[in-house]
């Protein structure tokens, strides 16, 4: 469904353009105009949050490099780059659904297909 989560949902993030019928059918940004940009320069409630991006993480590579010889393969656990703590579950991230882009699960959650019939999907 994109990155950040549901990034194409224009009603949530107020992105894209709209036709302004009051001004001779001109195009304008959906989110804000010139003065709205100034008022939202330090805080914009419509921008994605950390939860929409998911926490950035790295791996405990030292566990791989310094692992003693053993019959089991060593693993590198995920570490949050925000808190520095080990992460048990990773649910999303950049390019997370690229390999599953044609999946019906992702198509059903794609805001671009809202209101589409089964034949159109």
């Amino acid at each position: 469904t994109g990155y950040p989560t549901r990034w194409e949902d224009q009603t949530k993030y107020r992105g894209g353009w709209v036709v302004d019928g009051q001004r001779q059918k001109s195009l304008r940004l959906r989110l804000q105009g010139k003065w709205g940009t100034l008022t939202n320069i330090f805080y914009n409630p419509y921008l994605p949050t950390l939860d929409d991006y998911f926490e950035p993480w790295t791996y405990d590579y030292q566990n791989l490099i310094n692992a003693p010889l053993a019959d089991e393969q060593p693993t590198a656990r995920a570490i949050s780059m925000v808190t520095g703590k080990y992460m048990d579950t990773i649910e999303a991230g950049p390019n997370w659904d690229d390999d599953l882009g044609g999946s019906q699960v992702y198509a059903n959650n794609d805001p671009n297909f809202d209101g589409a019939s089964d034949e159109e999907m």
Side-chain angles (χ1 to χ4, degrees):
T1 55
Y3 184 76
T5 304
R6 294 186 59 89
W7 71 274
E8 290 185 8
D9 188 348
Q10 301 305 322
T11 56
K12 180 178 180 179
Y13 295 120
R14 306 250 176 122
W17 299 83
V18 292
V19 176
D20 192 352
Q22 298 172 356
R23 297 185 188 160
Q24 303 168 355
K25 302 223 180 221
S26 61
L27 285 176
R28 67 172 179 80
L29 287 172
R30 180 187 311 261
L31 179 61
Q32 61 205 16
K34 205 181 295 183
W35 297 110
T37 303
L38 285 174
T39 59
N40 288 342
I41 197 164
F42 297 108
Y43 172 73
N44 188 338
Y46 303 109
L47 291 179
T49 63
L50 182 61
D51 290 336
D52 295 321
Y53 283 100
F54 200 68
E55 283 186 61
W57 73 90
T58 188
Y59 293 99
D60 184 5
Y61 293 110
Q62 292 302 316
N63 190 40
L64 295 178
I65 296 168
N66 299 325
L69 289 176
D71 292 334
E72 297 85 25
Q73 179 72 26
T75 58
R77 290 184 61 191
I79 300 173
S80 168
M81 294 183 74
V82 175
T83 64
K85 297 178 181 177
Y86 286 110
M87 299 173 68
D88 293 326
T89 307
I90 298 175
E91 298 172 5
N95 302 325
W96 191 260
D97 56 0
D98 280 359
D99 292 336
L100 302 173
S103 166
Q104 196 64 26
V105 173
Y106 286 102
N108 289 337
N109 292 317
D110 191 332
N112 291 316
F113 294 129
D114 287 348
S117 67
D118 289 339
E119 292 80 26
E120 294 170 323
M121 297 276 291

